[in-house]
Amino acid sequence: MPETPPPDPAAIAANLADVRARIAAAARRAGRRAEDVTLVAVCKTHPAAAVAAAIAAGQRQFGENRVQEAAAKFPALRAAHPDLHLHLIGGLQTNKAREAVRIADVIETLDRPRLADALGEAADREGRLPRLLIQVNTGAEPQKSGIARDAADAFIAACQARFGAAVAGLMCIPPAAADPAAHFAWLAACAARHRLAMLSMGMSADFETAIAHGATHVRVGSAIFGHRPPAAG
Ligand SMILES: *Cc1c(COP(=O)(O)O)cnc(C)c1O
């Protein structure tokens, strides 16, 4: 593993200010209000000190890929900042469902009936249910999580029947090589069909496009925290 340099709080604060300004400008161009777009700062692979720097700069919503990493980092931060919001945005194994339900405010990657079963069971045991987003594999990429487009309507309806209003919206990660706009437009139309308000789409490279297509949550990592080691996904 390459040495990760210690986080630079001033750089993180400046990056956050820049991303927030770009979000506000993109919202304005789309005829939307800046406050209707929530920035989820994706801090996977970055140390708690980097998260603390973002918190000091006013950031409260964070995204992590791995349950284990989130469980190691967040309880202490949350003890100091009870208003933190943790989004789990990585593909979720059923054997991590219980820990995910325990620590997450939003699980963005509900994508198959077996995971719905595991989350339902975990919610019963833990006595809490995070908000749930359904991830759609809009690019039909075999290596990616997400329900297939043609199975999405039935799966969303089944999840709404089971979990009610906890099913808050949809999430997608367009293929890296594709023009993301068509993927974002598809996801927005799908959310509208199911009267789902939350649309988590857009990352460092394409969050402005996502905002133009109605994103309510953008998941931005490297533009805030800098680059990650390539293997970190
Ligand atoms: C890592 C990750 C992001 C953030 O990606 P950046 O390109 O660093 O902004 C967003 N969403 C998901 C699901 C991720 O895994």
Side-chain angles (χ1 to χ4, degrees):
M1 284 265 289
E3 279 288 299
T4 317
D8 174 351
I12 289 170
N15 291 343
L16 264 172
D18 179 60
V19 169
R20 289 193 192 118
R22 288 171 59 192
I23 289 171
R28 210 176 310 117
R29 284 196 300 275
R32 305 178 58 204
R33 299 182 310 172
E35 56 269 34
D36 292 339
V37 182
T38 298
L39 171 60
V40 178
V42 178
C43 54
K44 63 189 183 200
T45 78
H46 295 284
V51 182
I55 293 170
Q59 182 63 29
R60 290 296 180 271
Q61 308 249 352
F62 292 92
E64 285 278 3
N65 262 38
R66 293 172 202 275
V67 175
Q68 231 76 316
E69 186 180 341
K73 238 187 264 178
F74 272 84
L77 292 165
R78 209 198 282 275
H81 303 277
D83 57 341
L84 289 191
H85 259 67
L86 175 63
H87 295 238
L88 289 177
I89 62 174
L92 187 58
Q93 296 168 275
T94 51
N95 64 4
K96 302 272 166 51
R98 190 152 179 200
E99 183 79 18
V101 163
R102 196 178 297 143
I103 65 172
D105 298 290
V106 184
I107 295 174
E108 299 206 5
T109 53
L110 171 52
D111 67 349
R112 58 198 191 277
R114 264 176 49 74
L115 182 57
D117 289 344
L119 291 173
E121 205 171 294
D124 289 343
R125 290 187 183 188
E126 294 293 327
R128 81 186 294 266
L129 180 61
R131 278 190 292 170
L132 304 171
L133 304 189
I134 290 163
Q135 181 179 1
V136 184
N137 188 356
T138 56
E141 295 175 280
Q143 81 282 10
K144 248 177 210 160
S145 309
I147 187 92
R149 282 191 189 206
D150 61 7
D153 284 316
F155 183 62
I156 293 164
C159 289
Q160 287 178 312
R162 177 168 192 166
F163 297 114
V167 177
L170 303 181
M171 179 270 218
C172 77
I173 311 169
D179 176 356
H183 295 264
F184 296 152
W186 188 93
L187 200 73
C190 185
R193 278 200 297 283
H194 294 274
R195 305 191 187 291
L196 291 168
M198 251 175 100
L199 265 180
S200 172
M201 53 191 202
M203 313 190 349
S204 290
D206 56 15
F207 67 85
E208 285 141 322
T209 305
I211 290 167
H213 286 86
T216 63
H217 291 68
V218 294
R219 308 178 309 269
V220 179
S222 46
I224 297 168
F225 294 108
H227 289 292
R228 297 177 295 270

mmCIF file of all heavy atoms in Angstrom, residues 123-169:
data_model
loop_
_atom_site.group_PDB
_atom_site.id
_atom_site.type_symbol
_atom_site.label_atom_id
_atom_site.label_comp_id
_atom_site.label_asym_id
_atom_site.label_seq_id
_atom_site.Cartn_x
_atom_site.Cartn_y
_atom_site.Cartn_z
ATOM 1 N N ALA A 123 -33.806 -5.270 10.479
ATOM 2 C CA ALA A 123 -34.584 -4.147 11.027
ATOM 3 C C ALA A 123 -35.446 -4.621 12.192
ATOM 4 O O ALA A 123 -35.574 -3.923 13.203
ATOM 5 C CB ALA A 123 -35.441 -3.520 9.930
ATOM 6 N N ASP A 124 -36.030 -5.811 12.058
ATOM 7 C CA ASP A 124 -36.831 -6.361 13.156
ATOM 8 C C ASP A 124 -35.978 -6.553 14.406
ATOM 9 O O ASP A 124 -36.381 -6.231 15.513
ATOM 10 C CB ASP A 124 -37.439 -7.710 12.745
ATOM 11 C CG ASP A 124 -38.546 -7.524 11.718
ATOM 12 O OD1 ASP A 124 -39.036 -6.384 11.582
ATOM 13 O OD2 ASP A 124 -38.907 -8.513 11.046
ATOM 14 N N ARG A 125 -34.787 -7.099 14.203
ATOM 15 C CA ARG A 125 -33.923 -7.366 15.359
ATOM 16 C C ARG A 125 -33.366 -6.102 15.983
ATOM 17 O O ARG A 125 -33.232 -6.006 17.203
ATOM 18 C CB ARG A 125 -32.742 -8.232 14.928
ATOM 19 C CG ARG A 125 -33.163 -9.631 14.583
ATOM 20 C CD ARG A 125 -31.926 -10.437 14.348
ATOM 21 N NE ARG A 125 -32.268 -11.790 13.932
ATOM 22 C CZ ARG A 125 -31.372 -12.746 13.800
ATOM 23 N NH1 ARG A 125 -30.090 -12.495 14.055
ATOM 24 N NH2 ARG A 125 -31.726 -13.945 13.422
ATOM 25 N N GLU A 126 -33.008 -5.141 15.144
ATOM 26 C CA GLU A 126 -32.365 -3.919 15.648
ATOM 27 C C GLU A 126 -33.389 -2.882 16.093
ATOM 28 O O GLU A 126 -33.047 -1.916 16.770
ATOM 29 C CB GLU A 126 -31.458 -3.307 14.583
ATOM 30 C CG GLU A 126 -30.247 -4.153 14.212
ATOM 31 C CD GLU A 126 -29.267 -4.267 15.375
ATOM 32 O OE1 GLU A 126 -29.146 -3.308 16.155
ATOM 33 O OE2 GLU A 126 -28.645 -5.345 15.513
ATOM 34 N N GLY A 127 -34.643 -3.048 15.666
ATOM 35 C CA GLY A 127 -35.652 -2.048 16.011
ATOM 36 C C GLY A 127 -35.422 -0.718 15.325
ATOM 37 O O GLY A 127 -35.839 0.327 15.819
ATOM 38 N N ARG A 128 -34.729 -0.737 14.224
ATOM 39 C CA ARG A 128 -34.588 0.499 13.430
ATOM 40 C C ARG A 128 -34.450 0.124 11.957
ATOM 41 O O ARG A 128 -33.972 -0.957 11.628
ATOM 42 C CB ARG A 128 -33.403 1.344 13.898
ATOM 43 C CG ARG A 128 -32.034 0.924 13.384
ATOM 44 C CD ARG A 128 -30.898 1.728 14.010
ATOM 45 N NE ARG A 128 -30.891 3.149 13.654
ATOM 46 C CZ ARG A 128 -30.191 3.660 12.637
ATOM 47 N NH1 ARG A 128 -29.458 2.894 11.867
ATOM 48 N NH2 ARG A 128 -30.225 4.959 12.396
ATOM 49 N N LEU A 129 -34.903 1.028 11.122
ATOM 50 C CA LEU A 129 -34.787 0.810 9.679
ATOM 51 C C LEU A 129 -34.278 2.094 9.043
ATOM 52 O O LEU A 129 -34.945 3.124 9.088
ATOM 53 C CB LEU A 129 -36.165 0.438 9.095
ATOM 54 C CG LEU A 129 -36.220 0.182 7.586
ATOM 55 C CD1 LEU A 129 -35.317 -0.977 7.174
ATOM 56 C CD2 LEU A 129 -37.658 -0.081 7.131
ATOM 57 N N PRO A 130 -33.067 2.058 8.471
ATOM 58 C CA PRO A 130 -32.571 3.245 7.759
ATOM 59 C C PRO A 130 -33.469 3.534 6.562
ATOM 60 O O PRO A 130 -34.262 2.693 6.139
ATOM 61 C CB PRO A 130 -31.178 2.822 7.284
ATOM 62 C CG PRO A 130 -30.815 1.639 8.101
ATOM 63 C CD PRO A 130 -32.107 0.956 8.438
ATOM 64 N N ARG A 131 -33.331 4.725 5.997
ATOM 65 C CA ARG A 131 -33.976 4.962 4.703
ATOM 66 C C ARG A 131 -33.285 4.099 3.659
ATOM 67 O O ARG A 131 -32.075 3.852 3.739
ATOM 68 C CB ARG A 131 -33.892 6.442 4.332
ATOM 69 C CG ARG A 131 -35.001 7.238 5.019
ATOM 70 C CD ARG A 131 -35.086 8.641 4.470
ATOM 71 N NE ARG A 131 -33.893 9.378 4.861
ATOM 72 C CZ ARG A 131 -33.562 10.572 4.376
ATOM 73 N NH1 ARG A 131 -34.318 11.143 3.466
ATOM 74 N NH2 ARG A 131 -32.471 11.193 4.795
ATOM 75 N N LEU A 132 -34.043 3.663 2.694
ATOM 76 C CA LEU A 132 -33.524 2.741 1.692
ATOM 77 C C LEU A 132 -33.636 3.354 0.295
ATOM 78 O O LEU A 132 -34.682 3.895 -0.069
ATOM 79 C CB LEU A 132 -34.317 1.424 1.719
ATOM 80 C CG LEU A 132 -34.364 0.693 3.064
ATOM 81 C CD1 LEU A 132 -35.356 -0.468 2.996
ATOM 82 C CD2 LEU A 132 -32.971 0.188 3.448
ATOM 83 N N LEU A 133 -32.557 3.243 -0.459
ATOM 84 C CA LEU A 133 -32.607 3.574 -1.880
ATOM 85 C C LEU A 133 -32.401 2.284 -2.654
ATOM 86 O O LEU A 133 -31.645 1.403 -2.229
ATOM 87 C CB LEU A 133 -31.508 4.572 -2.271
ATOM 88 C CG LEU A 133 -31.458 5.902 -1.520
ATOM 89 C CD1 LEU A 133 -30.459 6.833 -2.209
ATOM 90 C CD2 LEU A 133 -32.812 6.560 -1.439
ATOM 91 N N ILE A 134 -33.059 2.183 -3.767
ATOM 92 C CA ILE A 134 -32.882 1.016 -4.625
ATOM 93 C C ILE A 134 -31.882 1.365 -5.718
ATOM 94 O O ILE A 134 -32.045 2.374 -6.427
ATOM 95 C CB ILE A 134 -34.239 0.553 -5.178
ATOM 96 C CG1 ILE A 134 -35.037 -0.029 -4.002
ATOM 97 C CG2 ILE A 134 -34.056 -0.481 -6.284
ATOM 98 C CD1 ILE A 134 -36.488 -0.164 -4.236
ATOM 99 N N GLN A 135 -30.834 0.556 -5.785
ATOM 100 C CA GLN A 135 -29.796 0.786 -6.800
ATOM 101 C C GLN A 135 -30.174 0.062 -8.081
ATOM 102 O O GLN A 135 -30.480 -1.135 -8.073
ATOM 103 C CB GLN A 135 -28.436 0.284 -6.304
ATOM 104 C CG GLN A 135 -27.330 0.521 -7.329
ATOM 105 C CD GLN A 135 -25.958 0.057 -6.864
ATOM 106 O OE1 GLN A 135 -25.818 -0.476 -5.756
ATOM 107 N NE2 GLN A 135 -24.958 0.249 -7.700
ATOM 108 N N VAL A 136 -30.146 0.800 -9.177
ATOM 109 C CA VAL A 136 -30.427 0.211 -10.490
ATOM 110 C C VAL A 136 -29.123 0.180 -11.296
ATOM 111 O O VAL A 136 -28.402 1.177 -11.375
ATOM 112 C CB VAL A 136 -31.506 1.016 -11.248
ATOM 113 C CG1 VAL A 136 -31.838 0.318 -12.573
ATOM 114 C CG2 VAL A 136 -32.772 1.173 -10.394
ATOM 115 N N ASN A 137 -28.835 -0.975 -11.867
ATOM 116 C CA ASN A 137 -27.643 -1.158 -12.708
ATOM 117 C C ASN A 137 -28.012 -0.706 -14.121
ATOM 118 O O ASN A 137 -28.231 -1.525 -15.016
ATOM 119 C CB ASN A 137 -27.223 -2.629 -12.657
ATOM 120 C CG ASN A 137 -25.893 -2.888 -13.347
ATOM 121 O OD1 ASN A 137 -25.286 -1.982 -13.942
ATOM 122 N ND2 ASN A 137 -25.438 -4.128 -13.286
ATOM 123 N N THR A 138 -28.080 0.616 -14.290
ATOM 124 C CA THR A 138 -28.636 1.166 -15.536
ATOM 125 C C THR A 138 -27.804 0.798 -16.758
ATOM 126 O O THR A 138 -28.322 0.781 -17.865
ATOM 127 C CB THR A 138 -28.746 2.700 -15.460
ATOM 128 O OG1 THR A 138 -27.450 3.231 -15.154
ATOM 129 C CG2 THR A 138 -29.740 3.135 -14.384
ATOM 130 N N GLY A 139 -26.527 0.495 -16.551
ATOM 131 C CA GLY A 139 -25.669 0.145 -17.676
ATOM 132 C C GLY A 139 -25.529 -1.353 -17.890
ATOM 133 O O GLY A 139 -24.743 -1.777 -18.728
ATOM 134 N N ALA A 140 -26.292 -2.150 -17.136
ATOM 135 C CA ALA A 140 -26.237 -3.613 -17.255
ATOM 136 C C ALA A 140 -24.801 -4.131 -17.200
ATOM 137 O O ALA A 140 -24.402 -4.998 -17.973
ATOM 138 C CB ALA A 140 -26.937 -4.076 -18.547
ATOM 139 N N GLU A 141 -24.017 -3.583 -16.270
ATOM 140 C CA GLU A 141 -22.622 -4.011 -16.144
ATOM 141 C C GLU A 141 -22.537 -5.191 -15.181
ATOM 142 O O GLU A 141 -22.991 -5.101 -14.034
ATOM 143 C CB GLU A 141 -21.776 -2.862 -15.602
ATOM 144 C CG GLU A 141 -21.691 -1.682 -16.544
ATOM 145 C CD GLU A 141 -20.956 -0.525 -15.902
ATOM 146 O OE1 GLU A 141 -21.583 0.192 -15.101
ATOM 147 O OE2 GLU A 141 -19.762 -0.365 -16.177
ATOM 148 N N PRO A 142 -21.954 -6.305 -15.639
ATOM 149 C CA PRO A 142 -21.936 -7.500 -14.801
ATOM 150 C C PRO A 142 -21.191 -7.318 -13.481
ATOM 151 O O PRO A 142 -21.530 -7.960 -12.487
ATOM 152 C CB PRO A 142 -21.238 -8.556 -15.688
ATOM 153 C CG PRO A 142 -20.618 -7.800 -16.804
ATOM 154 C CD PRO A 142 -21.347 -6.507 -16.950
ATOM 155 N N GLN A 143 -20.184 -6.444 -13.446
ATOM 156 C CA GLN A 143 -19.390 -6.290 -12.213
ATOM 157 C C GLN A 143 -20.062 -5.359 -11.227
ATOM 158 O O GLN A 143 -19.589 -5.185 -10.109
ATOM 159 C CB GLN A 143 -17.972 -5.804 -12.555
ATOM 160 C CG GLN A 143 -17.815 -4.305 -12.807
ATOM 161 C CD GLN A 143 -18.299 -3.853 -14.192
ATOM 162 O OE1 GLN A 143 -18.919 -4.613 -14.920
ATOM 163 N NE2 GLN A 143 -18.007 -2.616 -14.556
ATOM 164 N N LYS A 144 -21.160 -4.709 -11.618
ATOM 165 C CA LYS A 144 -21.768 -3.716 -10.753
ATOM 166 C C LYS A 144 -23.001 -4.249 -10.038
ATOM 167 O O LYS A 144 -23.742 -5.061 -10.573
ATOM 168 C CB LYS A 144 -22.159 -2.481 -11.556
ATOM 169 C CG LYS A 144 -21.296 -1.277 -11.184
ATOM 170 C CD LYS A 144 -21.584 -0.064 -11.997
ATOM 171 C CE LYS A 144 -20.288 0.757 -12.124
ATOM 172 N NZ LYS A 144 -20.338 1.668 -13.242
ATOM 173 N N SER A 145 -23.217 -3.747 -8.821
ATOM 174 C CA SER A 145 -24.447 -4.040 -8.106
ATOM 175 C C SER A 145 -25.596 -3.314 -8.791
ATOM 176 O O SER A 145 -25.399 -2.471 -9.651
ATOM 177 C CB SER A 145 -24.359 -3.545 -6.661
ATOM 178 O OG SER A 145 -23.190 -4.004 -6.056
ATOM 179 N N GLY A 146 -26.807 -3.656 -8.374
ATOM 180 C CA GLY A 146 -27.981 -2.955 -8.895
ATOM 181 C C GLY A 146 -28.934 -3.918 -9.568
ATOM 182 O O GLY A 146 -28.521 -4.870 -10.215
ATOM 183 N N ILE A 147 -30.220 -3.638 -9.410
ATOM 184 C CA ILE A 147 -31.240 -4.431 -10.083
ATOM 185 C C ILE A 147 -31.239 -4.047 -11.564
ATOM 186 O O ILE A 147 -30.939 -2.904 -11.917
ATOM 187 C CB ILE A 147 -32.626 -4.168 -9.425
ATOM 188 C CG1 ILE A 147 -33.708 -5.092 -9.964
ATOM 189 C CG2 ILE A 147 -33.068 -2.722 -9.581
ATOM 190 C CD1 ILE A 147 -33.874 -6.348 -9.164
ATOM 191 N N ALA A 148 -31.543 -5.002 -12.421
ATOM 192 C CA ALA A 148 -31.595 -4.710 -13.860
ATOM 193 C C ALA A 148 -32.738 -3.746 -14.155
ATOM 194 O O ALA A 148 -33.755 -3.723 -13.463
ATOM 195 C CB ALA A 148 -31.787 -6.002 -14.654
ATOM 196 N N ARG A 149 -32.563 -2.950 -15.210
ATOM 197 C CA ARG A 149 -33.613 -1.985 -15.576
ATOM 198 C C ARG A 149 -34.971 -2.664 -15.733
ATOM 199 O O ARG A 149 -35.980 -2.162 -15.240
ATOM 200 C CB ARG A 149 -33.291 -1.332 -16.921
ATOM 201 C CG ARG A 149 -32.254 -0.252 -16.863
ATOM 202 C CD ARG A 149 -32.242 0.469 -18.214
ATOM 203 N NE ARG A 149 -31.110 1.388 -18.307
ATOM 204 C CZ ARG A 149 -31.098 2.462 -19.076
ATOM 205 N NH1 ARG A 149 -32.146 2.748 -19.830
ATOM 206 N NH2 ARG A 149 -30.038 3.240 -19.117
ATOM 207 N N ASP A 150 -34.998 -3.798 -16.431
ATOM 208 C CA ASP A 150 -36.310 -4.377 -16.759
ATOM 209 C C ASP A 150 -36.944 -5.087 -15.564
ATOM 210 O O ASP A 150 -38.102 -5.483 -15.628
ATOM 211 C CB ASP A 150 -36.235 -5.292 -17.992
ATOM 212 C CG ASP A 150 -35.294 -6.461 -17.797
ATOM 213 O OD1 ASP A 150 -34.792 -6.661 -16.668
ATOM 214 O OD2 ASP A 150 -35.051 -7.186 -18.779
ATOM 215 N N ALA A 151 -36.181 -5.251 -14.491
ATOM 216 C CA ALA A 151 -36.753 -5.829 -13.272
ATOM 217 C C ALA A 151 -37.029 -4.756 -12.215
ATOM 218 O O ALA A 151 -37.552 -5.053 -11.140
ATOM 219 C CB ALA A 151 -35.797 -6.886 -12.704
ATOM 220 N N ALA A 152 -36.661 -3.519 -12.523
ATOM 221 C CA ALA A 152 -36.687 -2.475 -11.496
ATOM 222 C C ALA A 152 -38.107 -2.152 -11.031
ATOM 223 O O ALA A 152 -38.359 -2.044 -9.827
ATOM 224 C CB ALA A 152 -35.994 -1.213 -12.010
ATOM 225 N N ASP A 153 -39.049 -2.007 -11.964
ATOM 226 C CA ASP A 153 -40.400 -1.577 -11.560
ATOM 227 C C ASP A 153 -41.018 -2.559 -10.567
ATOM 228 O O ASP A 153 -41.568 -2.150 -9.542
ATOM 229 C CB ASP A 153 -41.300 -1.405 -12.789
ATOM 230 C CG ASP A 153 -40.986 -0.114 -13.546
ATOM 231 O OD1 ASP A 153 -40.815 0.928 -12.888
ATOM 232 O OD2 ASP A 153 -40.898 -0.167 -14.784
ATOM 233 N N ALA A 154 -40.921 -3.841 -10.874
ATOM 234 C CA ALA A 154 -41.526 -4.843 -9.981
ATOM 235 C C ALA A 154 -40.803 -4.871 -8.637
ATOM 236 O O ALA A 154 -41.436 -4.985 -7.574
ATOM 237 C CB ALA A 154 -41.483 -6.224 -10.639
ATOM 238 N N PHE A 155 -39.475 -4.764 -8.671
ATOM 239 C CA PHE A 155 -38.713 -4.817 -7.422
ATOM 240 C C PHE A 155 -39.010 -3.601 -6.547
ATOM 241 O O PHE A 155 -39.195 -3.724 -5.327
ATOM 242 C CB PHE A 155 -37.213 -4.921 -7.727
ATOM 243 C CG PHE A 155 -36.353 -5.047 -6.495
ATOM 244 C CD1 PHE A 155 -36.494 -6.129 -5.636
ATOM 245 C CD2 PHE A 155 -35.407 -4.078 -6.189
ATOM 246 C CE1 PHE A 155 -35.710 -6.239 -4.487
ATOM 247 C CE2 PHE A 155 -34.614 -4.186 -5.048
ATOM 248 C CZ PHE A 155 -34.769 -5.264 -4.204
ATOM 249 N N ILE A 156 -39.071 -2.430 -7.163
ATOM 250 C CA ILE A 156 -39.383 -1.213 -6.401
ATOM 251 C C ILE A 156 -40.766 -1.341 -5.754
ATOM 252 O O ILE A 156 -40.943 -1.050 -4.561
ATOM 253 C CB ILE A 156 -39.325 0.033 -7.318
ATOM 254 C CG1 ILE A 156 -37.892 0.278 -7.787
ATOM 255 C CG2 ILE A 156 -39.877 1.264 -6.588
ATOM 256 C CD1 ILE A 156 -37.787 1.238 -8.976
ATOM 257 N N ALA A 157 -41.739 -1.796 -6.525
ATOM 258 C CA ALA A 157 -43.095 -1.934 -5.990
ATOM 259 C C ALA A 157 -43.121 -2.926 -4.824
ATOM 260 O O ALA A 157 -43.772 -2.691 -3.802
ATOM 261 C CB ALA A 157 -44.054 -2.371 -7.102
ATOM 262 N N ALA A 158 -42.382 -4.019 -4.965
ATOM 263 C CA ALA A 158 -42.343 -5.018 -3.888
ATOM 264 C C ALA A 158 -41.688 -4.425 -2.639
ATOM 265 O O ALA A 158 -42.142 -4.662 -1.508
ATOM 266 C CB ALA A 158 -41.590 -6.263 -4.362
ATOM 267 N N CYS A 159 -40.623 -3.664 -2.819
ATOM 268 C CA CYS A 159 -39.943 -3.047 -1.669
ATOM 269 C C CYS A 159 -40.847 -2.006 -1.009
ATOM 270 O O CYS A 159 -40.894 -1.898 0.227
ATOM 271 C CB CYS A 159 -38.622 -2.413 -2.103
ATOM 272 S SG CYS A 159 -37.350 -3.621 -2.521
ATOM 273 N N GLN A 160 -41.576 -1.248 -1.816
ATOM 274 C CA GLN A 160 -42.501 -0.259 -1.227
ATOM 275 C C GLN A 160 -43.605 -0.951 -0.451
ATOM 276 O O GLN A 160 -44.005 -0.485 0.619
ATOM 277 C CB GLN A 160 -43.093 0.628 -2.329
ATOM 278 C CG GLN A 160 -42.092 1.618 -2.894
ATOM 279 C CD GLN A 160 -42.664 2.465 -4.019
ATOM 280 O OE1 GLN A 160 -43.284 1.942 -4.952
ATOM 281 N NE2 GLN A 160 -42.458 3.770 -3.961
ATOM 282 N N ALA A 161 -44.084 -2.076 -0.969
ATOM 283 C CA ALA A 161 -45.130 -2.811 -0.257
ATOM 284 C C ALA A 161 -44.600 -3.326 1.081
ATOM 285 O O ALA A 161 -45.312 -3.357 2.078
ATOM 286 C CB ALA A 161 -45.622 -3.969 -1.130
ATOM 287 N N ARG A 162 -43.335 -3.713 1.088
ATOM 288 C CA ARG A 162 -42.761 -4.293 2.295
ATOM 289 C C ARG A 162 -42.305 -3.247 3.309
ATOM 290 O O ARG A 162 -42.533 -3.397 4.507
ATOM 291 C CB ARG A 162 -41.575 -5.163 1.897
ATOM 292 C CG ARG A 162 -40.855 -5.750 3.082
ATOM 293 C CD ARG A 162 -39.890 -6.807 2.627
ATOM 294 N NE ARG A 162 -39.402 -7.553 3.769
ATOM 295 C CZ ARG A 162 -38.763 -8.697 3.666
ATOM 296 N NH1 ARG A 162 -38.557 -9.231 2.485
ATOM 297 N NH2 ARG A 162 -38.334 -9.310 4.732
ATOM 298 N N PHE A 163 -41.622 -2.209 2.821
ATOM 299 C CA PHE A 163 -40.973 -1.256 3.730
ATOM 300 C C PHE A 163 -41.671 0.103 3.782
ATOM 301 O O PHE A 163 -41.248 0.983 4.535
ATOM 302 C CB PHE A 163 -39.515 -1.047 3.329
ATOM 303 C CG PHE A 163 -38.659 -2.285 3.418
ATOM 304 C CD1 PHE A 163 -38.127 -2.864 2.280
ATOM 305 C CD2 PHE A 163 -38.392 -2.868 4.656
ATOM 306 C CE1 PHE A 163 -37.333 -4.005 2.363
ATOM 307 C CE2 PHE A 163 -37.598 -4.012 4.748
ATOM 308 C CZ PHE A 163 -37.075 -4.582 3.599
ATOM 309 N N GLY A 164 -42.688 0.289 2.973
ATOM 310 C CA GLY A 164 -43.425 1.552 2.993
ATOM 311 C C GLY A 164 -42.554 2.735 2.639
ATOM 312 O O GLY A 164 -41.687 2.647 1.761
ATOM 313 N N ALA A 165 -42.761 3.832 3.373
ATOM 314 C CA ALA A 165 -42.089 5.089 3.048
ATOM 315 C C ALA A 165 -40.594 5.065 3.348
ATOM 316 O O ALA A 165 -39.879 6.002 2.975
ATOM 317 C CB ALA A 165 -42.744 6.235 3.810
ATOM 318 N N ALA A 166 -40.112 4.000 4.007
ATOM 319 C CA ALA A 166 -38.651 3.899 4.184
ATOM 320 C C ALA A 166 -37.956 3.807 2.828
ATOM 321 O O ALA A 166 -36.787 4.176 2.690
ATOM 322 C CB ALA A 166 -38.299 2.689 5.044
ATOM 323 N N VAL A 167 -38.653 3.288 1.840
ATOM 324 C CA VAL A 167 -38.096 3.287 0.475
ATOM 325 C C VAL A 167 -38.213 4.710 -0.046
ATOM 326 O O VAL A 167 -39.296 5.196 -0.362
ATOM 327 C CB VAL A 167 -38.839 2.299 -0.445
ATOM 328 C CG1 VAL A 167 -38.283 2.373 -1.863
ATOM 329 C CG2 VAL A 167 -38.713 0.881 0.104
ATOM 330 N N ALA A 168 -37.068 5.391 -0.075
ATOM 331 C CA ALA A 168 -37.086 6.840 -0.290
ATOM 332 C C ALA A 168 -36.693 7.238 -1.701
ATOM 333 O O ALA A 168 -36.969 8.369 -2.120
ATOM 334 C CB ALA A 168 -36.144 7.516 0.705
ATOM 335 N N GLY A 169 -36.020 6.347 -2.441
ATOM 336 C CA GLY A 169 -35.577 6.778 -3.756
ATOM 337 C C GLY A 169 -34.728 5.759 -4.472
ATOM 338 O O GLY A 169 -34.706 4.576 -4.115
#
